[in-house]
Amino acid sequence: MKTNLDPNFLSPGDLARADTILRSCVHCGFCTDGCPTYQLLGDENDSPRGRIYLIKDMFETGQVDAAQITHLDRCLSCRNCETNCPSGVAYTDLLDIARGAIEQQQTRALTSRLGRWLLRRGLALPGLLHAAFGAARQIGRWPGLAKFLPVQISLSRASRSMVIPRPTTKQVLLLAGCVQKAATPNVNLAVEQLLGVSGIKVTRVAKESCCGALNYHLGDHAAGLADMRRLLHTLAEAGPDGVPIVSSASGCGVTLKDYPSHFPVGDPDHELASRIASRIVDVVELFDDHSINAAPIRVAVHTPCTLSSGQQLGTNVADVLTRAGIDVTATGPQLACCGSAGTYSVLQPKLATALQAKMITALTTHAPEAIVTANIGCQMHLGAGTKVPVLHWAELLWRQHEALNSAPGRAPQPGL
Ligand code: SF4
Ligand code: SF4
């Protein structure tokens, strides 16, 4: 694609990056059919190719208009188009540059700017998150009131179980995730116990802060980069170099693996970002070479875009559960999106609800007893649209492992 970008509209770094990305697109349209918003709306401007043209136009004219903002805001950043693109177009990077430029221009209505600011600030306050989810748990305990909660919420706190100690052969650092540790604290406990019975010593990262995804993807690049730099240095000090850093929320994991793209050559943290990113693993990757035994149950597996298109781990959760003896009845459509997408379900509720309904229909076709996923945002969003319990896969696997080993007449067993 030929370009003639306005040098006054973007910073030199963003201009060069945007130019390279735009020139790599050959307009073939292979990305279009797999785009969830194009499938829903049928408008080329809501497809990746259409959005690339809108962004090119914005960067060439130096003008932002309301229609461009509307179509770019509807993008889920699900990266399915990147997976389908034969030319390797880094669409999400281009979109992030455009979103940063839109915020810089301050062309949004005041109410929209205020709403986005409140969202960024509110979700970044751990105390507020803990208070909100704590209050929701209290409400849910009153008979008849749980149905009024907008999301499924686990009312009980799991306790640490007695597990047969195994010699530890490995150690990892565990990231708890800002929203996850407030909304579903049982997930990190389950991860610790699963890893414990697998002979892996787990240390939680102390003073963990936000990975930066929230601010960055909402267009506040300065705040997003500051978040990223802060966490980068926390992780560098958290444990010996070379020890894997485990994330169990795939939305955080994909951001952390992508850190090198935010700290280019010349940045003082360029090398550190590459070293830390090379140590990031999603928890499912730790179960690639062994399995946990578990009592059978019928589940549908939802694979977040951040795990499939973002981390190329599309079948790993279903494989781990199947090896454990769990009956995976459905895996949902490949390269689709449930509509959660960070803050998307708040900012684009109509589209998010339509995508949620499609995903739930696909996942519940064979009447599963539970739906599992790998990201807190997807877990809460899907849970708000169905009566079927929606859990993180690690929590379900730990429950089933415990159920098997506490069955009458069965001696407790180690995980492997
Ligand atoms: S982004 Fe990739 S798949 Fe889409 S039109 Fe451009 S080159 Fe083709
Ligand atoms: S990131 Fe997802 S929603 Fe956005 S253009 Fe690509 S496929 Fe469509």
Side-chain angles (χ1 to χ4, degrees):
M1 181 183 279
K2 281 190 187 157
T3 58
N4 182 20
L5 308 191
D6 178 351
N8 300 315
F9 190 66
L10 298 171
S11 69
D14 280 349
L15 187 91
R17 179 79 181 125
D19 201 45
T20 305
I21 299 170
L22 286 167
R23 284 172 184 271
S24 65
C25 176
V26 295
H27 336 263
C28 64
F30 284 134
C31 54
T32 299
D33 282 345
C35 169
T37 55
Y38 181 67
Q39 286 169 356
L40 269 186
L41 301 166
D43 182 339
E44 173 78 12
N45 286 323
D46 290 308
S47 78
R49 182 172 60 181
R51 290 184 177 119
I52 287 171
Y53 277 115
L54 293 175
I55 294 171
K56 176 176 180 281
D57 190 49
M58 185 194 300
F59 292 173
E60 288 187 335
T61 61
Q63 306 283 327
V64 183
D65 67 39
Q68 287 166 330
I69 295 177
T70 298
H71 294 297
L72 296 186
D73 280 353
R74 286 180 187 160
C75 176
L76 296 141
S77 301
C78 67
R79 298 184 185 223
N80 292 347
C81 47
E82 292 185 9
T83 301
N84 288 332
C85 172
S87 303
V89 174
Y91 166 83
T92 321
D93 285 1
L94 184 70
L95 179 75
D96 278 332
I97 295 170
R99 285 181 168 164
I102 290 169
E103 293 313 300
Q104 288 276 322
Q105 298 295 312
Q106 304 228 325
T107 32
R108 290 182 190 280
L110 186 63
T111 46
S112 165
R113 271 190 277 151
L114 184 65
R116 294 164 78 87
W117 182 85
L118 285 172
L119 205 51
R120 285 206 311 270
R121 291 299 147 111
L123 289 176
L125 293 173
L128 187 64
L129 287 177
H130 280 279
F133 285 107
R137 262 183 221 104
Q138 293 305 326
I139 292 168
R141 286 198 180 97
W142 285 84
L145 288 187
K147 63 176 184 258
F148 295 112
L149 292 175
V151 292
Q152 281 184 14
I153 193 159
S154 170
L155 299 179
S156 60
R157 291 291 289 262
S159 54
R160 219 168 268 280
S161 308
M162 289 291 290
V163 293
I164 294 205
R166 290 182 64 84
T168 49
T169 53
K170 228 179 178 180
Q171 63 166 319
V172 297
L173 293 170
L174 178 65
L175 284 161
C178 313
V179 178
Q180 182 171 274
K181 71 181 170 217
T184 54
N186 292 349
V187 173
N188 286 313
L189 196 55
V191 167
E192 283 178 324
Q193 304 205 92
L194 284 171
L195 295 180
V197 296
S198 305
I200 299 175
K201 180 177 175 233
V202 181
T203 307
R204 288 210 189 189
V205 174
K207 297 192 187 141
E208 177 186 335
S209 52
C210 175
C211 66
L214 178 65
N215 277 315
Y216 199 87
H217 296 310
L218 281 173
D220 189 343
H221 289 185
L225 280 173
D227 290 340
M228 290 178 193
R229 211 178 287 279
R230 192 175 312 116
L231 184 56
L232 204 50
H233 286 273
T234 301
L235 293 177
E237 288 160 17
D241 215 1
V243 171
I245 302 166
V246 181
S247 167
S248 56
S250 60
C252 308
V254 72
T255 303
L256 285 151
K257 287 184 177 181
D258 206 24
Y259 269 13
S261 73
H262 299 294
F263 298 94
V265 179
D267 186 288
D269 288 323
H270 170 70
E271 205 219 326
L272 180 62
S274 301
R275 265 195 288 130
I276 294 291
S278 70
R279 291 167 55 194
I280 303 293
V281 290
D282 186 274
V283 64
V284 76
E285 294 176 78
L286 297 175
F287 294 94
D288 275 351
D289 54 2
H290 69 267
S291 62
I292 296 281
N293 53 15
I297 183 172
R298 295 170 52 248
V299 301
V301 175
H302 166 256
T303 307
C305 315
T306 41
L307 200 64
S308 53
S309 290
Q311 301 186 54
Q312 313 305 315
L313 298 170
T315 59
N316 294 51
V317 171
D319 291 347
V320 167
L321 296 182
T322 304
R323 279 204 303 275
I326 289 171
D327 182 9
V328 175
T329 62
T331 52
Q334 294 301 304
L335 298 186
C337 178
C338 69
S340 165
T343 51
Y344 193 90
S345 55
V346 179
L347 295 169
Q348 300 284 338
K350 261 193 185 165
L351 291 176
T353 304
L355 291 166
Q356 176 202 54
K358 272 176 84 170
M359 184 62 76
I360 286 172
T361 301
L363 291 170
T364 53
T365 310
H366 300 293
E369 293 166 76
I371 295 170
V372 294
T373 183
N375 189 48
I376 178 63
C378 308
Q379 183 181 344
M380 291 196 298
H381 184 58
L382 287 170
T386 176
K387 289 194 165 44
V388 180
V390 183
L391 291 90
H392 190 288
W393 67 266
E395 190 179 355
L396 177 113
L397 182 56
W398 179 250
R399 277 193 199 176
Q400 296 308 109
H401 177 74
E402 281 200 303
L404 180 73
N405 291 306
S406 61
R410 176 133 191 156
Q413 295 189 357
L416 302 181

